[in-house]
């Protein structure tokens, strides 16, 4: 049942991508679907920057402060050891079932402020397989 719900949400996301006018609008639609349909607290899309940082490209809820309050990188610094940095570096999904881990320590106080208990990041790749950024999900539930 859970897999069906995920597949249905992804299908709805694809339909929104096709309908939207701009890439930014498509990204925001996907974030909104992830939050609304999967029962998440936050979704944001991070763009891989050449300087090793990750910038916020789209998010839902639009006014949630968390993505703008945290520093995320995809290098070997402490800010690159979380799910987003690892998803971008490794090119594979990263699931953190409990944010209370050593690799999440630099974001833990802010995450706790918003009630986040788990996080996942999925790399976004172009048609050649190059990682452009990541889709980042947050839940107030562990696992």
């Amino acid at each position: 049942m859970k897999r069906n719900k995920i597949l249905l949400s992804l299908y709805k996301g694809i339909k929104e991508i096709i309908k939207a006018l701009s890439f930014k609008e498509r990204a925001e639609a996907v974030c909104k679907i992830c939050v609304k349909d999967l029962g998440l607290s936050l979704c944001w899309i991070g763009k891989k920057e050449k300087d090793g940082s990750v910038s916020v490209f789209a998010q839902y809820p639009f006014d949630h402060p968390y993505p703008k309050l945290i520093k995320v990188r995809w290098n070997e610094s402490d800010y690159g050891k979380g799910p987003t940095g690892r998803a971008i570096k490794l090119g594979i999904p990263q699931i953190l079932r409990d944010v209370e881990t050593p690799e999440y320590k630099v974001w833990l106080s802010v995450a706790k402020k918003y009630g986040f208990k788990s996080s996942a990041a999925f790399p976004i790749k172009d048609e050649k397989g190059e990682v452009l950024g990541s889709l980042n999900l947050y839940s107030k539930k562990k696992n």
Side-chain angles (χ1 to χ4, degrees), residues 2-59:
K2 191 173 185 178
R3 285 184 186 201
N4 285 346
K5 186 175 182 179
I6 291 170
L7 288 173
L8 253 155
S9 294
L10 292 173
Y11 177 74
K12 285 170 78 175
I14 290 168
K15 282 176 62 177
E16 287 299 319
I17 287 171
I18 292 167
K19 288 192 305 187
L21 298 175
S22 72
F23 187 66
K24 177 94 169 163
E25 289 170 329
R26 289 180 275 177
E28 289 172 347
V30 168
C31 289
K32 183 176 182 179
I33 288 167
C34 286
V35 170
K36 295 278 190 181
D37 288 3
L38 300 177
L40 300 170
S41 300
L42 172 67
C43 175
W44 65 279
I45 294 176
K47 181 181 173 202
K48 174 184 169 184
E49 301 292 351
K50 290 180 183 178
D51 68 356
S53 66
V54 179
S55 63
V56 178
F57 180 73
Q59 73 176 69

Side-chain angles (χ1 to χ4, degrees), residues 54-105:
V54 179
S55 63
V56 178
F57 180 73
Q59 73 176 69
Y60 188 85
F62 303 117
D63 59 348
H64 201 294
Y66 185 77
K68 293 170 185 76
L69 292 175
I70 60 170
K71 178 179 177 180
V72 181
R73 301 189 62 78
W74 56 276
N75 59 16
E76 296 303 318
S77 73
D78 284 347
Y79 296 101
K81 292 180 180 175
T84 302
R86 289 194 325 263
I88 291 172
K89 273 189 294 200
L90 302 173
I92 56 175
Q94 300 293 308
I95 298 170
L96 189 59
R97 297 182 186 285
D98 185 348
V99 296
E100 294 202 39
T101 61
E103 61 266 15
Y104 210 79
K105 67 181 176 189

Side-chain angles (χ1 to χ4, degrees), residues 59 109 141:
Q59 73 176 69
S109 64
K141 298 176 186 173

